[in-house]
Amino acid sequence: MPSNNSQPIPVKQFQPKSQFTNWIGILPFFVFIFVFLIFPSLNLFSGAFKDQQGNFTLANMKFLSNPYVLKSYATSLQVSIITSLVGGIFGFFVAYAIVMGNTPRWMRSILTTFSGLAANFGGVPLAFAFIATLGRTGFITAILKNICYANAAGVQVCPFNPYDNGFNLYSLTGLVLTYIYFQFPLMILTITPALEGLKKEWREASENLGASSFQYWTRVALPILLPSILGSTMLLFGSAFGAFATAQALTGGSIDLVTILIGQQIRGDVLNNPNEGYALALGMVVVMAFMIVGYTILQKRTTRWLKL
Amino acid sequence: MKTKRINFWAFFWVVLAFLYFFLPMYGTLDFSLRMKKGVLSLLAYQKVLADPQFLASFRYSAIMGVITVIFSILLFVPTVYWIHLKMRQLRPLVEIITILPFIIPVIVYVFGLIRTFSGPPFQLTLTPFKTDILMVAGYIVLAMPYMFRAIDVGMQTIDVRTLTEAAQSLGANWAQILFNVIFPNLRTAILSGALISFALVIGELILGDFLARPALGPYMVEVGRDMAYQPAALAIMSYALTWICLGLITLFSRSNNNQRQILGR
């Protein structure tokens, strides 16, 4: 910092001279982060490679190949992939409609506001909302249930009761429907900037060169959008993969997601070896780390494209 | 012709999005009003508001939220200020650290926190007060991505260096610079970070549940297990709370657009 020597007040006393004094200013932050974030995480990860006596072992990794554990990972991955794909595609179309579709302005502003709300509205209340809507006595269930008519034999039939047709909110299908409630708004929020970066001139240029709409999309728009579409989809994946509260409140923990399994482990219900729980947790972080690395790489590519 | 077709599909997707958003909301509202047979009533809401356990857990979570917000501000504002002023080379590193709570799933983080601090030598879960310290630390970490980003964005819009030099040349010390110059200039950013953090703490389940503290999240799960109509009422109330928090953020950031940097008193 340039100091002004003509100043009568000794400015210098407030200026730490060495790199060392500079570090003091951010020391509280790093101490806090180390104690309450880094240290517990490291503790968890090292615990995954220890037995209960504290000796190094790879036995906990073998626990990860236990069929029960593998199934929970498969279920978590399944829910995350389905909801991020369906929510991502749906959200993309809605965002595209908002940005390019000449929809009325009031619709746009309501949809953007609601995306912010719905993307932040998760956890237990979300599960309650879906139970009140699609549960056994829910609002939509009641409407569908009451569509009845007398058949040829004079018997009342109500063919649209979802629970007679194999639907169950407290199942994987129900979980997917519920997650999509916060997934597609998240997609709208993250993809809209990229869609706004698509320049009208590009479409005009490709039309002037005789390209069809299909060619414009496959040759121009999608290659530019693809990195951010994939990046956003990964973000969606992460938010579904780590979700716990909604699943717990919706199904009471009856669906074995990895997060639910870890929850039972913390309560001490299921596994009697906490180090196996550490391995379970480490597996989740490894999956997430892959996703985030991919996201970062793709994000860099997008920004490079859109700067053109 | 072509534009008409695009408009139809745009309309289709927008309507579908509206339905997906509003049907559960309307369904929940409708359900929450049907506790008394045959008539619409606010009975479910009255029952919730009359439940002493609801009031206690809401008060507990709200107090936790306020404490979390205060400590987050005291921790992050000086840190971000110092990074912008002196240690710009550290910003990428700190940015990565602050998004760690997004990468590590919450349940994994809380698992690590409990296993680390419940046993010796720390034993932070022996008394309610010590457990609350752990809760606040956990909440600060979970809210960190939002809080840090909000303050960082706010700090970028003000000229930290000029403000600091001006204050120094008038003889202000570091505390005066922070509290009389930097804080007032960042109030919009701090407020949006604070509101998001507060909403996060109020709705958080995992920490309160696994540390066995009387927070709102575990209370709601319990109500969801035992009751039919009160959960719907609680869901509508949390919709409203989230809406209020987001609305306030929009309001404050809009009204702040008219005014530029202000200097200390």
Side-chain angles (χ1 to χ4, degrees), chain B residues 69-138:
Chain B
V69 164
I70 291 172
F71 279 99
S72 299
I73 292 171
L74 288 179
L75 183 65
F76 292 125
V77 172
T79 306
V80 177
Y81 166 71
W82 199 251
I83 288 171
H84 276 256
L85 188 66
K86 303 258 181 189
M87 315 276 283
R88 292 210 68 100
Q89 72 276 16
L90 274 182
R91 207 167 145 263
L93 172 72
V94 173
E95 220 170 358
I96 290 174
I97 292 176
T98 53
I99 60 159
L100 276 180
F102 279 165
I103 302 173
I104 304 172
V106 180
I107 186 108
V108 171
Y109 169 65
V110 171
F111 186 35
L113 204 62
I114 291 177
R115 288 279 180 223
T116 305
F117 291 105
S118 65
F122 304 102
Q123 297 192 309
L124 274 181
T125 51
L126 289 184
T127 64
F129 178 71
K130 283 184 183 167
T131 313
D132 285 347
I133 294 177
L134 196 58
M135 292 268 286
V136 169

Side-chain angles (χ1 to χ4, degrees), chain B residues 203-248:
Chain B
E204 219 282 324
L205 168 71
I206 300 176
L207 266 170
D209 195 5
F210 291 111
L211 285 172
R213 297 297 294 141
L216 194 60
Y219 169 79
M220 288 208 280
V221 171
E222 204 187 301
V223 170
R225 248 192 313 256
D226 305 337
M227 321 261 181
Y229 295 94
Q230 284 93 323
L234 279 169
I236 292 296
M237 286 156 82
S238 359
Y239 260 124
L241 192 76
T242 318
W243 195 290
I244 289 170
C245 284
L246 292 177
L248 284 177

Side-chain angles (χ1 to χ4, degrees), chain B residues 5 10 17 25 72 95 106 138 149 203 250:
Chain B
R5 211 185 62 222
M25 210 173 174
S72 299
E95 220 170 358
V106 180
R149 184 139 303 232
T250 325

Side-chain angles (χ1 to χ4, degrees), chain A residues 1 9 14 22 26 35-36 39 43 93 101 114 117 125 128-129 133 137 139 177 181 263 266-267 278 288, chain B residues 7 20-21 24 26 28 31 82 90 103 109 111 115-117 165 168-169 174 209-210 220 231 238-239 243:
Chain A
M1 186 182 304
I9 295 149
F14 304 119
N22 271 352
I26 47 168
V35 173
F36 288 108
F39 179 58
N43 210 11
F93 282 131
F114 114 68
L117 175 68
F128 289 169
T133 309
T137 56
F139 171 73
L177 276 176
Y181 191 83
I266 301 178
R267 287 207 181 85
Y278 294 159
M288 282 307 292
Chain B
N7 270 338
Y20 212 114
F21 175 58
Y26 180 76
T28 313
F31 196 83
W82 199 251
L90 274 182
I103 302 173
Y109 169 65
F111 186 35
R115 288 279 180 223
T116 305
F117 291 105
E165 285 174 7
Q168 280 182 333
S169 67
W174 286 115
D209 195 5
F210 291 111
M220 288 208 280
S238 359
Y239 260 124
W243 195 290

Side-chain angles (χ1 to χ4, degrees), chain A residues 120-129 178 182 243-247 249-250, chain B residues 203 205 220:
Chain A
N120 282 299
F121 186 76
V124 186
L126 178 63
F128 289 169
T178 312
F182 62 78
F244 169 81
T246 309
L250 190 70
Chain B
L205 168 71
M220 288 208 280

